[in-house]
């Protein structure tokens, strides 16, 4: 299951700080990957490489289950019903899409509200999350280890690491935790790029920009864990023992959050884990999402189509590209089925440019660098991409426009007005085409070599894993290259039209000159 939102946005690990004598020793650096208002926050701390790698020993996660386990899912369903979940029109079953999913038991009408998960069965970071039922929320959000929860609150730990730590704390208590039936039904190894090794990322996703996103996310989790360990866990080892609170368990808990945390629009975008609802799988054609319904005081979604008994019921995880879906949820939709699919194209200023320093300074003023990534879809590309292209090819005579171009490329202008410079239109389009074709070359090289990769390993499970990862990578690269091919076609046609128009104008001019001669 997944974060569900109307808008296409990435997940961030918010900064937190516990001030000592009015001084904070924790810093974050904002890093903008593209112009779709997607902001990732990268941890910057003084942790050495040795300190980071010290916690990379593989430890088995003792809780959770295999992703297709129906026994644990049935126990979850029974516990939820006994704990206040109303009678449902859906049941957990093995499905073709997602291994486990919710399937209609009865006819379900279009426009019907389903689920009604009560607040006392929802995990949040704030006991005052649901204003209409504070007593129930406080009861369900209370830590089994209350001292640990109090310590994290003293340090003002934000929602994401707070819930991640809470999940580990409750999981470690096994049957003693109120949430044991829920935790036992969670996947032991979430499908997420957090679980890909660096060599796997380099081998299978070298052509895709999603590789960089995955590395950034892994570094975010490691940085967040290291900060918690140094500033909180090490000072309270009795509450946060390392054998329980380590990088392996944090990878597990953040993997759960990235793939199952829900963003609720009516609660100002606050996040929550919603048992039962997180068994719903994603469909690119479905537009409905989870939200808190004040009238029924529960988490619901409204169907946007009818379902017959036996059909799997879907929701939307948000308008995400195939790369984003692989990054957080570990799957790639079939090629051509995702209308929100996009590919990030890398564009860079040329250091040989006579105005390179001036252009870099203009970009810096608006939070950009000399190299940026922009999302390209089958339907086109954003205005910001063209603004960056104009800046990249603009001659010294256009110095006065550098600032305007950089501002337009940053998406920080209030007007969102498309800028055009006809005198350099051809050069800008050629620059974009060169960037697309450079990416196409990388994808084609990977896809041609993918059939030659050596997958011969002695461990059958490891072989299955490598085959699975390779297939995901092939599916992703195929879908992203498809978008680039479409962009290449459009760009070549536009350039052809410009050049043929210039040729006609030149012939007309020559004809008129001959007449006057």
């Amino acid at each position: 299951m997944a974060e569900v939102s109307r808008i296409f946005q990435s997940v961030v690990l918010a900064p937190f700080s516990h001030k000592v004598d009015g001084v904070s020793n924790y810093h974050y650096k904002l890093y903008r990957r593209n112009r779709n208002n997607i902001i990732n926050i990268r941890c910057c701390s003084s942790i050495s490489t040795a300190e980071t790698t010290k916690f990379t020993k593989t430890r088995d996660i003792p809780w959770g289950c295999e992703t297709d386990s129906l026994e644990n899912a049935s126990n979850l369903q029974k516990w939820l019903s006994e704990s206040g979940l109303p009678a449902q029109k859906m049941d957990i079953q093995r499905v073709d899409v997602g291994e486990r999913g919710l399937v209609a038991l009865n006819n379900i009408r279009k426009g019907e509200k389903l689920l009604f998960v009560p607040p006392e069965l929802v995990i949040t970071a704030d006991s005052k999350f649901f204003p209409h039922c504070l007593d129930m929320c406080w009861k369900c959000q209370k830590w089994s280890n209350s001292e640990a929860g109090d310590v994290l609150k003293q340090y003002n730990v934000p929602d994401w690491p707070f819930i991640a730590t809470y999940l580990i704390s409750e999981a470690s208590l096994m049957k003693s935790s109120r949430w044991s039936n829920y935790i036992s039904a969670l996947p032991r190894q979430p499908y997420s790029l957090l679980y890909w090794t660096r060599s796997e990322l380099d081998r299978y996703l070298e052509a895709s920009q999603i590789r960089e996103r995955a590395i950034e996310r892994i570094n975010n989790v490691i940085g967040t864990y290291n900060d918690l360990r140094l500033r909180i866990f090490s000072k309270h080892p009795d509450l946060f023992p390392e054998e329980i609170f380590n990088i392996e368990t944090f990878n597990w808990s953040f993997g759960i959050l990235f793939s199952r945390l829900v963003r609720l629009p009516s609660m100002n975008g606050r996040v929550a884990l919603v048992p039962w609802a997180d068994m719903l799988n994603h469909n690119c054609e479905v537009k409905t999402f989870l939200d808190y319904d004040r009238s029924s005081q529960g988490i619901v979604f409204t169907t946007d189509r009818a379902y017959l008994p036996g059909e799997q019921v879907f929701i939307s995880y948000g308008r995400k590209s195939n790369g984003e879906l692989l990054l957080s949820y570990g799957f790639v939709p079939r090629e051509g089925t995702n209308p929100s699919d996009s590919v990030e194209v890398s564009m860079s200023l040329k250091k040989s440019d006579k105005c390179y320093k001036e252009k870099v300074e203009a970009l810096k003023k608006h939070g950009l660098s000399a190299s940026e990534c922009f999302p390209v879809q089958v339907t086109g590309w954003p205005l910001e991409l063209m603004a960056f292209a104009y800046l990249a090819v603009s001659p010294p005579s256009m110095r006065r426009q550098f600032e305007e171009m950089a501002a337009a490329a940053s998406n920080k202008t209030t007007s969102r007005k498309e800028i055009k410079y006809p005198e350099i239109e051809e050069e800008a389009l050629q620059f974009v085409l060169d960037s697309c074709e450079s990416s196409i070359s990388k994808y084609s090289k990977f896809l041609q070599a993918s059939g030659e990769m050596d997958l011969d390993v002695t461990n059958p499970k490891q072989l299955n894993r490598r085959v699975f990862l390779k297939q995901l990578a092939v599916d992703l690269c195929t879908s992203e290259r498809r978008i680039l091919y479409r962009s290449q076609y459009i760009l070549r046609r536009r350039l052809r039209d410009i050049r043929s128009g210039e040729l006609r104008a030149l012939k007309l001019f020559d004809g008129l000159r001959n007449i006057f001669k």
Side-chain angles (χ1 to χ4, degrees):
M1 212 322 270
E3 169 192 0
V4 183
S5 174
R6 296 189 195 196
I7 58 176
F8 176 33
Q9 56 185 307
S10 67
V11 177
V12 298
L13 308 183
F16 66 96
S17 108
H18 180 62
K19 294 188 177 181
V20 181
D21 298 328
V23 179
S24 170
N25 63 350
Y26 194 79
H27 306 281
Y28 278 78
K29 178 182 178 181
L30 286 174
Y31 178 78
R32 183 180 294 272
R33 287 223 31 103
N34 61 45
R35 307 282 66 79
N36 255 6
N37 290 332
I38 301 172
I39 300 177
N40 288 325
I41 298 181
R42 180 167 56 196
C43 302
C44 297
S45 63
S46 58
I47 312 298
S48 69
T49 303
E51 287 178 296
T52 301
T53 56
K54 186 171 68 174
F55 294 91
T56 58
K57 296 179 181 178
T58 301
R59 310 181 196 187
D60 291 333
I61 300 298
W63 46 76
C65 67
E66 297 301 321
T67 54
D68 60 351
S69 172
L70 286 183
E71 179 182 356
N72 289 6
S74 298
N75 292 337
L76 168 65
Q77 187 174 357
K78 180 181 178 183
W79 171 72
L80 289 171
S81 298
E82 294 172 350
S83 302
L85 182 71
Q88 298 289 305
K89 290 190 172 183
M90 298 172 292
D91 185 35
I92 299 177
Q93 296 182 19
R94 283 195 178 91
V95 292
D96 294 332
V97 178
E99 295 186 332
R100 295 183 302 184
L102 296 187
V103 174
L105 293 174
N106 313 106
N107 287 316
I108 295 175
R109 303 184 310 276
K110 179 181 178 180
E112 189 171 351
K113 286 185 178 180
L114 299 175
L115 294 181
F116 300 99
V117 181
E120 59 267 30
L121 293 177
V122 176
I123 297 175
T124 71
D126 188 356
S127 61
K128 299 179 181 179
F129 189 86
F130 298 102
H132 302 292
C133 42
L134 294 181
D135 293 338
M136 288 187 295
C137 284
W138 173 247
K139 179 181 177 182
C140 67
Q141 294 309 308
K142 190 174 182 180
W143 287 55
S144 298
N145 184 349
S146 58
E147 289 184 70
D150 292 340
V151 168
L152 292 188
K153 290 174 184 176
Q154 290 172 12
Y155 280 80
N156 297 317
V157 176
D159 290 359
W160 276 78
F162 188 94
I163 297 176
T165 308
Y166 177 77
L167 200 59
I168 295 170
S169 178
E170 295 299 313
S172 68
L173 298 174
M174 301 292 189
K175 295 292 184 181
S176 301
S177 170
R178 176 178 185 267
W179 301 102
S180 63
N181 284 289
Y182 174 57
I183 292 169
S184 66
L186 295 174
R188 187 174 294 117
Q189 181 170 315
Y191 285 148
S192 164
L193 291 189
L194 283 177
Y195 279 83
W196 289 40
T197 66
R198 180 58 183 268
S199 62
E200 289 169 343
L201 290 171
D202 291 343
R203 186 179 195 186
Y204 298 124
L205 295 178
E206 181 182 6
S208 177
Q209 287 293 328
I210 207 66
R211 170 183 169 275
E212 297 299 321
R213 297 276 294 278
I215 292 171
E216 290 165 8
R217 178 167 290 187
I218 291 168
N219 289 337
N220 276 342
V221 173
I222 292 174
T224 299
Y225 165 72
N226 279 331
D227 187 74
L228 288 168
R229 177 176 61 86
L230 287 179
R231 299 195 303 109
I232 302 177
F233 297 168
S234 62
K235 296 177 182 178
H236 304 276
D238 53 327
L239 298 177
F240 305 101
E242 189 179 323
E243 58 267 23
I244 294 175
F245 298 89
N246 52 64
I247 189 59
E248 283 77 23
T249 56
F250 265 82
N251 272 336
W252 172 79
S253 61
F254 270 108
I256 294 297
L257 299 193
F258 282 125
S259 61
R260 308 178 92 82
L261 206 62
V262 176
R263 192 177 300 275
L264 302 173
S266 67
M267 303 301 290
N268 298 319
R270 296 293 298 276
V271 294
L273 284 172
V274 187
W276 182 251
D278 59 7
M279 293 293 174
L280 287 160
N281 289 315
H282 171 79
N283 186 306
C284 296
E285 297 177 355
V286 172
K287 307 300 181 186
T288 189
F289 53 91
L290 298 178
D291 201 1
Y292 178 67
D293 180 54
R294 295 181 183 274
S295 61
S296 63
Q297 296 187 14
I299 305 297
V300 305
F301 75 97
T302 304
T303 58
D304 64 352
R305 63 200 61 203
Y307 294 94
L308 297 174
E311 287 187 326
Q312 184 177 181
V313 180
F314 294 99
I315 58 170
S316 170
Y317 290 0
R319 296 173 57 193
K320 300 181 185 297
S321 68
N322 287 0
E324 282 284 333
L325 292 170
L326 175 60
L327 179 64
S328 292
Y329 314 115
F331 70 88
V332 178
R334 291 193 308 275
E335 183 183 358
T337 62
N338 182 5
S340 300
D341 196 14
S342 65
V343 56
E344 290 186 4
V345 174
S346 178
M347 303 174 69
S348 302
L349 300 181
K350 293 182 179 179
K351 291 187 177 181
S352 59
D353 191 329
K354 294 179 180 179
C355 302
Y356 179 78
K357 290 185 179 180
E358 296 173 64
K359 292 178 180 180
V360 170
E361 286 302 316
L363 289 168
K364 282 184 177 179
K365 288 181 182 179
H366 298 280
L368 302 179
S369 65
S371 296
E372 289 291 328
C373 288
F374 298 89
V376 174
Q377 293 185 301
V378 169
T379 54
W381 45 82
L383 303 178
E384 293 80 8
L385 179 147
M386 278 306 299
F388 189 95
Y390 281 131
L391 180 64
V393 302
S394 55
S397 59
M398 297 184 71
R399 279 189 173 91
R400 293 184 178 181
Q401 282 77 43
F402 288 175
E403 187 75 23
E404 179 185 37
M405 295 174 186
S410 70
N411 195 18
K412 291 183 179 179
T413 56
T414 55
S415 62
R416 284 281 296 162
K417 182 181 177 182
E418 182 179 7
I419 59 172
K420 285 191 175 183
Y421 302 95
E423 63 271 36
I424 57 172
E425 179 83 7
E426 181 181 347
E427 291 86 346
L429 291 174
Q430 184 64 54
F431 177 80
V432 177
L433 177 60
D434 291 343
S435 300
C436 289
E437 290 184 336
S438 175
S439 295
I440 289 172
S441 177
K442 293 178 183 178
Y443 284 109
S444 296
K445 182 179 178 181
F446 165 75
L447 291 171
Q448 288 170 5
S450 62
E452 302 171 5
M453 288 185 175
D454 181 16
L455 297 175
D456 182 21
V457 292
T458 55
N459 187 331
K461 289 187 177 180
Q462 188 67 13
L463 174 60
N464 291 338
R465 170 184 168 80
R466 291 191 181 184
V467 171
F468 178 62
L469 298 188
K470 176 186 170 184
Q471 188 59 55
L472 286 173
V474 168
D475 291 345
L476 176 66
C477 289
T478 301
S479 69
E480 291 186 336
R481 187 178 65 167
R482 169 180 170 268
I483 297 172
L484 291 172
Y485 274 146
R486 175 64 178 169
S487 299
Q488 180 190 50
Y489 172 76
I490 294 172
L491 287 162
R492 285 180 173 178
R493 285 202 61 173
R494 289 181 63 176
L495 284 167
R496 186 192 65 189
D497 292 343
I498 290 174
R499 288 162 183 166
S500 62
E502 290 174 350
L503 182 60
R504 284 196 299 270
L506 182 61
K507 287 181 177 179
L508 178 62
F509 176 76
D510 288 340
L512 290 172
R513 186 172 59 179
N514 291 332
I515 290 173
F516 283 107
K517 281 183 178 180

